[in-house]
């Protein structure tokens, strides 16, 4: 049977004027919705960040009387952001848990409640060297969760501990050889055998040390970093980096050793070290001379030769007495994707592409206005402060701290990045924010944070603060960013401030 093909004229398929208007209206509405999404995203991550970041919570007392032991020394989210851990100078670790109700409400809230508190380290004394070992927690690193329990590493200057944090909400009753109070029962009183039963009980969170890694560092530990294989980790002090296995406490491998035969020839020290997030054979470490070395453990057992050296050439005209001090890198963090690396020196942030060692691809001035105050900062030792830095979960924003309770957030690709990022120190550019962790913010819960500006010159505007008015005792050294959401944790002396984007 022959088939016939029916050809339809294009004119015959054109809609009527009424349908044309309807289709046009639908297309216009769709375009407006797309534009709205674009602008909303821009407001959250970029220029409009000034109106979207708001105060969520503050942990710790806001009183002026603060003891040294209560000062927070590290902050760290776990891999899904459900837990947030802080360590302090008193050797305590406090773990906060995300409030389940805060995730269900609209809009979401970044609220955390105390989950567990335990004493991680105690003060010790090295009798051979007549040296006191502080209990201060230098770093906390979470292991990825494999079962119902959580595991984390914490370290002070000398000893690293692996902690297991687990819940217990059931109890066993009906023992044959024990009374209900726990006292042993005499065998003559056991007349019949019972099957013990498991009953619900009040929730208890227990923290117990599973491993103690000690006696491997002569100098103070400044970094620990988990490998992507989740079986090994590294620990770094001023002159050496050791590789550990999580199951072996009495043995570690020395993978970097920069100690010279004659200590008088020492010219630099290790300041930070971190494993690559996906490549288990790669790690980086920074030095006090402003350099970063990328090492490959496949090349040799002792990584005394780096695979790449990241160093920015120094401008000879800008060299001064303080050049070497302010170029010292206090923190280095690899991006979550593993392609970029961020380093923090005293005055700014630099973003490096791992495929280009010659210069950073982005530069962000943090407090360039302090360059004229370096002499007084040297006299009060503030120039030696070690500021940390962190990436957002999508690697598009950077955060680090400053003085006067200020912390900085930079959007990558904003006008503040690039090789010319040092100009206009007192001018806020597109894509960068200066916010303050203060009592004023705590008094206005869930209200937009007011952007702060510092005047670089004697002439200042009404909403600016002069450099001479900055409080250098209120320093933000430790910050953390939620791995998936716009929630940040900022440590300000003994207080932990939690801020969130209005989503």
């Amino acid at each position: 049977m022959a088939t016939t093909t029916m050809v339809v004229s294009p004119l015959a398929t054109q809609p009527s004027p009424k349908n044309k208007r309807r289709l046009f209206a639908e297309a216009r509405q769709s375009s407006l919705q797309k534009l709205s999404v674009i602008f909303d995203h821009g407001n959250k991550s970029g220029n409009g960040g000034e109106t979207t970041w708001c105060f969520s919570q503050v942990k710790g007392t806001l009183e002026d009387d603060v003891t040294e032991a209560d000062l927070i020394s590290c902050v760290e989210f776990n891999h899904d952001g459900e837990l947030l851990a802080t360590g302090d100078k008193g050797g305590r670790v406090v773990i906060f848990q995300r409030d389940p109700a805060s995730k269900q409400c609209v809009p979401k809230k970044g609220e955390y409640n105390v989950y567990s508190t335990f004493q991680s380290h105690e003060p010790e004394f090295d009798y051979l060297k007549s040296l006191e070992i502080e209990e201060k927690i230098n770093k906390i690193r979470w292991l990825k969760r494999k079962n119902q329990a959580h595991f984390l590493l914490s370290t002070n200057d000398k000893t690293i501990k692996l902690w297991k944090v687990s819940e217990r909400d059931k109890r066993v009753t009906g023992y044959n050889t024990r009374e209900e109070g726990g006292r042993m029962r005499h065998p003559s009183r056991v007349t019949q055998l019972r099957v013990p039963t498991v009953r619900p009980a009040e929730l208890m969170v227990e923290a117990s040390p599973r491993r103690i890694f000690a006696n491997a560092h002569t100098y103070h530990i400044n970094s620990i970093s988990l490998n992507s294989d989740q079986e090994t980790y590294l620990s770094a002090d001023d002159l050496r980096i050791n590789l550990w296995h999580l199951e072996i406490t009495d043995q570690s491998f020395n993978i970097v050793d920069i100690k010279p035969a004659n200590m008088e020839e020492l010219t630099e020290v290790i300041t930070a070290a971190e494993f690559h997030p996906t490549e288990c054979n790669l790690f980086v470490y920074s030095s006090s001379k402003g350099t970063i070395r990328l090492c490959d453990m496949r090349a040799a057992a002792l990584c005394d030769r780096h695979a790449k050296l990241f160093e920015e050439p120094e401008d000879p005209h800008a060299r001064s007495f303080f050049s070497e001090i302010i170029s010292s890198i206090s923190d280095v963090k690899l991006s979550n994707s593993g392609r970029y690396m961020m380093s923090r020196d005293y005055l700014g942030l630099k973003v490096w592409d791992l495929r280009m060692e010659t210069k950073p691809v982005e530069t962000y001035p943090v407090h360039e206005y302090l360059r004229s105050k370096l002499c007084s900062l040297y006299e009060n030792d503030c120039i030696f402060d070690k500021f940390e830095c962190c990436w957002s979960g999508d690697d598009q924003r950077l955060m680090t701290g400053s003085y006067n309770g200020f912390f900085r957030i930079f959007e990558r690709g904003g006008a503040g990045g690039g090789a010319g990022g040092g100009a206009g120190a007192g001018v806020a550019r597109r894509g960068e924010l200066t916010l303050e962790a203060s009592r004023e913010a705590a008094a206005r819960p869930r209200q937009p944070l007011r952007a702060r500006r510092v005047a670089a010159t004697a002439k200042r505007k009404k909403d600016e603060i002069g450099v001479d008015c900055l409080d250098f005792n209120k320093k933000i050294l430790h910050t953390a960013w939620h791995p998936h959401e716009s929630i940040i944790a900022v440590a300000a002396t003994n207080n932990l401030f939690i801020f969130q984007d209005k989503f």
Side-chain angles (χ1 to χ4, degrees):
M1 183 176 179
T3 59
T4 58
T5 303
M6 189 174 183
V7 179
V8 181
S9 170
L11 295 175
T13 62
Q14 289 185 356
S16 64
K18 184 177 180 181
N19 288 336
K20 273 185 179 180
R21 287 193 295 271
R22 181 176 57 80
L23 292 171
F24 177 80
E26 291 176 354
R28 183 173 179 272
Q29 183 68 22
S30 176
S31 298
L32 288 174
Q33 289 176 349
K34 289 179 181 178
L35 283 173
S36 175
V37 170
I38 292 172
F39 285 126
D40 284 346
H41 177 74
N43 285 340
K44 286 184 178 183
S45 60
N47 208 17
E50 297 182 15
T51 58
T52 55
W53 285 101
C54 62
F55 170 82
S56 177
Q57 282 180 301
V58 61
K59 302 296 184 181
T61 177
L62 292 173
E63 297 176 1
D64 294 326
D65 187 17
V66 179
T67 62
E68 182 79 10
D70 293 331
L71 299 181
I72 297 175
S73 55
C74 57
V75 184
E76 187 79 8
F77 280 102
N78 73 337
H79 291 85
D80 59 8
E82 291 299 302
L83 298 179
L84 171 63
T86 65
D88 62 26
K89 288 191 173 183
R92 295 179 297 266
V93 172
V94 181
I95 302 176
F96 301 93
Q97 185 181 45
R98 181 85 177 268
D99 185 355
S102 70
K103 295 187 295 181
Q104 306 299 327
C105 63
V106 179
K108 290 182 179 179
K109 298 177 184 177
E111 295 184 352
Y112 286 77
N113 300 319
V114 175
Y115 180 65
S116 177
T117 303
F118 58 91
Q119 188 72 29
S120 175
H121 288 72
E122 300 281 356
E124 299 178 52
F125 190 81
D126 188 335
Y127 291 96
L128 292 176
K129 299 180 180 179
S130 297
L131 186 69
E132 291 184 4
I133 301 173
E134 291 184 347
E135 64 271 35
K136 171 193 167 190
I137 307 298
N138 292 336
K139 295 290 180 183
I140 292 175
R141 291 293 181 264
W142 289 94
L143 279 68
K144 287 187 177 178
R145 195 175 186 183
K146 296 180 179 179
N147 50 40
Q148 292 299 313
H150 299 274
F151 290 87
L152 62 85
L153 286 170
S154 64
T155 183
N156 65 352
D157 287 340
K158 298 293 183 181
T159 305
I160 307 162
K161 295 183 180 182
L162 174 65
W163 290 89
K164 177 183 179 181
V165 182
S166 57
E167 295 181 355
R168 189 171 68 181
D169 59 355
K170 294 179 175 59
R171 63 187 181 93
V172 178
T173 61
Y175 288 103
N176 289 287
T177 58
R178 258 191 347 214
E179 304 287 354
E180 292 300 327
R183 191 175 55 184
M184 294 302 295
R185 180 181 295 170
H186 195 274
S188 62
R189 296 183 57 191
V190 180
T191 57
Q192 60 181 357
L193 290 178
R194 296 182 296 177
V195 178
T197 58
V198 179
R199 295 183 179 179
E202 185 180 354
L203 177 65
M204 291 181 59
V205 180
E206 298 176 327
S208 55
R210 302 310 299 266
R211 303 278 188 277
I212 297 178
F213 308 88
N215 305 320
H217 285 278
T218 306
Y219 307 97
H220 291 178
I221 299 172
N222 56 50
S223 300
I224 52 175
S225 177
L226 263 297
N227 199 344
S228 58
D229 61 14
Q230 293 293 303
E231 293 182 354
T232 57
Y233 74 93
L234 64 79
S235 59
D237 63 26
D238 294 338
L239 297 178
R240 295 187 179 96
I241 300 177
N242 293 334
L243 179 68
W244 300 83
H245 194 284
L246 287 168
E247 298 294 329
I248 302 173
T249 61
D250 59 350
Q251 186 180 27
S252 65
F253 295 97
N254 180 225
I255 54 177
V256 172
D257 189 348
I258 65 170
K259 183 181 179 181
N262 182 4
M263 284 296 284
E264 293 181 358
E265 300 174 0
L266 182 67
T267 58
E268 63 179 334
V269 295
I270 298 168
T271 57
E274 186 173 63
F275 264 120
H276 192 278
T278 57
E279 302 296 329
C280 62
N281 54 287
L282 299 178
F283 68 94
V284 297
Y285 69 92
S286 58
S287 82
S288 58
K289 294 185 75 172
T291 61
I292 306 173
R293 291 173 173 85
L294 174 70
C295 298
D296 190 340
M297 292 191 294
R298 297 173 299 184
L302 182 65
C303 299
D304 51 355
R305 294 184 181 180
H306 51 265
K308 287 189 176 185
L309 176 66
F310 299 85
E311 183 177 18
E312 187 176 24
E314 184 184 8
D315 183 2
H317 301 291
R319 182 165 181 79
S320 69
F321 172 78
F322 305 107
S323 295
E324 189 169 329
I325 301 174
I326 63 175
S327 65
S328 175
I329 295 174
S330 58
D331 195 19
V332 60
K333 292 285 174 60
L334 286 152
S335 64
N336 297 293
S337 66
R339 175 175 174 179
Y340 296 99
M341 174 175 60
M342 170 171 50
S343 64
R344 171 71 205 264
D345 55 39
Y346 186 69
L347 292 178
L349 280 174
K350 295 174 184 176
V351 176
W352 304 79
D353 190 324
L354 291 187
R355 299 175 295 184
M356 185 173 76
E357 310 103 289
T358 53
K359 64 178 181 180
V361 293
E362 299 163 26
T363 303
Y364 301 92
V366 176
H367 38 220
E368 186 68 22
Y369 45 78
L370 294 180
R371 189 175 289 275
S372 61
K373 302 289 182 182
L374 292 179
C375 186
S376 59
L377 292 169
Y378 177 78
E379 291 175 354
N380 62 18
D381 286 343
C382 284
I383 200 171
F384 301 106
D385 287 334
K386 307 298 182 185
F387 292 94
E388 297 178 2
C389 54
C390 62
W391 295 87
S392 63
D394 59 2
D395 294 339
Q396 294 305 306
R397 286 174 284 179
L398 323 171
M399 180 170 61
T400 190
S402 182
Y403 294 105
N404 204 65
F406 292 166
F407 59 97
R408 307 295 309 277
I409 296 178
F410 300 93
E411 181 191 3
R412 297 184 65 196
V427 181
R429 290 172 293 276
R430 179 177 64 83
E432 67 175 62
L433 272 174
T434 301
L435 302 174
E436 183 179 6
S438 65
R439 299 182 184 184
E440 179 185 334
R444 302 168 64 240
R446 283 182 279 281
Q447 294 297 314
L449 292 180
R450 188 159 55 95
R452 311 291 292 185
R453 290 181 176 83
V454 179
T457 60
K459 294 182 180 179
R460 60 186 182 93
K461 298 178 182 178
K462 184 179 179 181
D463 60 341
E464 292 181 334
I465 182 172
V467 177
D468 295 328
C469 299
L470 296 175
D471 187 345
F472 290 98
N473 292 318
K474 295 180 179 179
K475 52 191 76 173
I476 305 295
L477 302 177
H478 315 287
T479 59
W481 202 303
H482 190 287
H484 308 301
E485 299 179 27
S486 293
I487 300 173
I488 55 178
V490 177
T493 58
N494 66 315
N495 298 126
L496 178 69
F497 286 86
I498 299 176
F499 302 96
Q500 69 172 75
D501 200 350
K502 273 194 173 179
F503 38 114

